[in-house]
Amino acid sequence: MTLASLHTLVHARQQLLRTLGIALLPLALAACDSGSSTGGNNSPEAPVVTPPVTEEPTPEPPRNTAYLNNKAGDVIKVRIDELHPTQAAIGYDQVYYKLGRWQGDLDRSTWANNPKQQLDYLNRTIGKKFDDYCEDMGGTERAQKFLTIAEVQAARLDQPTTYLCKDPLGSQTENLKTVVVGWDGNLYLTDGHHTFSSLREISDGGPKLPVWVKVSANYSDIREASAFWERMSKEKLVWLRDGQNQAITVEQLPTRVGLASEKEAGGMQEDRYRSLVYFTRDIAYNNGNLPEYAEFLWGDWLRRQASEGQLTKLDEYLMAPPATPAQILAASTLNKALKPGGSDDSYAAAVRDAALKMTALSDTDLVFEDRDAATLGRIVLEADAASDSVTKKARDTLEELPRDDIKSDGSPRGAGKLWFAVNYRNCGKPAAGTCWGW
């Protein structure tokens, strides 16, 4: 190695050491400063300060703003799928009665050779659907009956130009069903679960069908669900029992009106005693000006009578297959002395026996909590009553429940509610070749 090379190598080594010294200087200074003010070097490290976490406020659930400004007495047009149930169950046979009657058979051969009688039959059945819709939606009634069979064939609830009500829909408020505007801005139905369930099930109705309702209260100023339902319970505007009359929570209420279905979740359960009470209407009680859920209160009372052995249980009557339609629809009667006659085990017999228990109460007898029989519309039946009396009307109503729709002379007549309900439950929509019998 030459002397020049040796000098170059020494110079490079000195340069490297200077560079390393500069790089290590901060670490050395940090090590010197790590001790205490007295020169110790075992003090703990300075604490790490974490900035405080500011919790974001819990956002309120989204509200339906469409009805927040509606007040009690307002009439509003809505869709059926906007209505939230405040009860878990309905009487399926009441809905089946409507579905059976509203769907008269356009191709029925019974009066095929008599167009006048055929039209009469269709006005009594399909026409009844439009009568009921006009009445329940505040339009009073149909402006006129169908004048031709072609008019019947064309008429649909979801096509308003195909029929006409006497008054504008929503204008006559006495028959409108009622809703409460809830804590979330949604509409909670307090009357009309059976009406809107029937309209939802019919082929020209459905969840999008327009309907008119009246606001009975607006509780949207109550911003918590629990407080809202507490208010509803206090006002007796919710019925928290299932189809077996067992207590439920508000979380268990159905999400829609209409029959329960495997094809669509959220429907309403069946309450057989609620159906029974419906058929005692105008026999054991009048339906006008009753408190909310009055029929459920009667149903609760009838259940208790049956459980205590004071009334025959429904399972002991012939109300469904394997009993035959003839057995189910056998007539039961009350004679002028109010002595039972006819069948003792048919559906009509169950109605008769329940009605006799209901009418045997005094006006002041309590039916449910503080609700007495008079408050719930109880009818007083009297032996040997006059032919124009309430009692005679009740006896006639009972006798008509299971009758068919053909008079002895072969002309059409209004059939009984039970006849429609039982046939629809067992046979489906009225049609030839089914168990409807034509």
Side-chain angles (χ1 to χ4, degrees), residues 241-294:
R241 304 281 184 91
D242 65 13
Q244 301 300 317
N245 207 40
Q246 299 300 305
I248 62 170
T249 65
V250 294
E251 290 78 16
Q252 293 173 290
L253 285 170
T255 58
R256 63 172 179 84
V257 298
L259 309 179
S261 169
E262 294 181 357
K263 297 180 180 179
E264 182 182 8
M268 306 186 75
Q269 300 175 24
E270 177 175 14
D271 185 331
R272 296 177 67 201
Y273 276 89
R274 177 60 181 77
S275 291
L276 178 70
V277 172
Y278 172 70
F279 293 119
T280 68
R281 186 179 294 181
D282 297 325
I283 305 171
Y285 74 101
N286 289 315
N287 191 44
N289 300 315
L290 294 184
E292 307 290 4
Y293 311 106

Side-chain angles (χ1 to χ4, degrees), residues 58-329:
T58 302
E60 292 188 357
R63 308 181 84 201
N64 181 358
T65 60
Y67 308 110
L68 292 179
N69 295 324
N70 285 113
K71 59 186 183 300
D74 285 353
V75 174
I76 52 179
K77 178 184 177 181
V78 302
R79 302 184 313 272
I80 289 178
D81 62 4
E82 294 183 89
L83 303 172
H84 294 253
T86 55
Q87 65 192 50
I90 51 178
Y92 276 27
D93 284 338
Q94 180 175 340
V95 175
Y96 289 153
Y97 154 61
K98 293 289 188 180
L99 297 179
R101 182 164 187 177
W102 288 354
Q103 299 185 88
D105 182 3
L106 284 164
D107 300 318
R108 185 169 174 177
S109 61
T110 308
W111 299 287
N113 297 323
N114 191 326
K116 182 178 179 181
Q117 290 188 347
Q118 180 90 339
L119 185 61
D120 182 15
Y121 157 71
L122 293 174
N123 267 307
R124 291 175 182 272
T125 53
I126 296 175
K128 174 68 171 170
K129 173 177 61 178
F130 296 94
D131 290 336
D132 289 349
Y133 185 77
C134 289
E135 179 180 355
D136 291 330
M137 299 306 121
T140 308
E141 59 188 10
R142 270 190 302 165
Q144 65 179 20
K145 293 184 177 181
F146 294 120
L147 301 179
T148 67
I149 293 177
E151 286 183 11
V152 184
Q153 292 171 325
R156 290 182 58 90
L157 288 175
D158 55 6
Q159 296 178 14
T161 58
T162 62
Y163 63 94
L164 183 64
C165 298
K166 181 178 178 181
D167 296 303
L169 296 178
S171 65
Q172 306 302 315
T173 62
E174 61 274 11
N175 291 323
L176 291 177
K177 310 307 179 184
T178 52
V179 297
V180 167
V181 182
W183 70 284
D184 51 3
N186 288 321
L187 301 178
Y188 290 86
L189 188 65
T190 57
D191 178 39
H193 291 82
H194 289 81
T195 294
F196 295 122
S197 291
S198 301
L199 289 170
R200 196 184 194 280
E201 297 292 332
I202 201 75
S203 60
D204 56 342
K208 303 301 181 183
L209 183 71
V211 294
W212 281 254
V213 293
K214 181 168 60 178
V215 176
S216 62
N218 188 328
Y219 294 152
S220 61
D221 58 330
I222 302 175
R223 303 304 292 268
E224 294 184 357
S226 58
F228 167 70
W229 287 111
E230 183 178 351
R231 177 68 178 273
M232 292 286 282
S233 181
K234 180 180 178 181
E235 299 292 336
K236 295 182 170 62
L237 295 177
V238 59
W239 180 251
L240 294 178
R241 304 281 184 91
D242 65 13
Q244 301 300 317
N245 207 40
Q246 299 300 305
I248 62 170
T249 65
V250 294
E251 290 78 16
Q252 293 173 290
L253 285 170
T255 58
R256 63 172 179 84
V257 298
L259 309 179
S261 169
E262 294 181 357
K263 297 180 180 179
E264 182 182 8
M268 306 186 75
Q269 300 175 24
E270 177 175 14
D271 185 331
R272 296 177 67 201
Y273 276 89
R274 177 60 181 77
S275 291
L276 178 70
V277 172
Y278 172 70
F279 293 119
T280 68
R281 186 179 294 181
D282 297 325
I283 305 171
Y285 74 101
N286 289 315
N287 191 44
N289 300 315
L290 294 184
E292 307 290 4
Y293 311 106
E295 288 90 350
F296 284 104
L297 307 187
W298 277 120
D300 176 86
W301 184 81
L302 290 171
R303 275 185 165 95
R304 282 184 274 123
Q305 297 300 301
S307 66
E308 294 167 4
Q310 303 300 312
L311 180 68
T312 304
K313 295 180 179 180
L314 289 186
D315 289 341
E316 298 182 36
Y317 294 97
L318 303 175
M319 300 174 68
T324 66
Q327 291 173 315
I328 298 170
L329 291 170

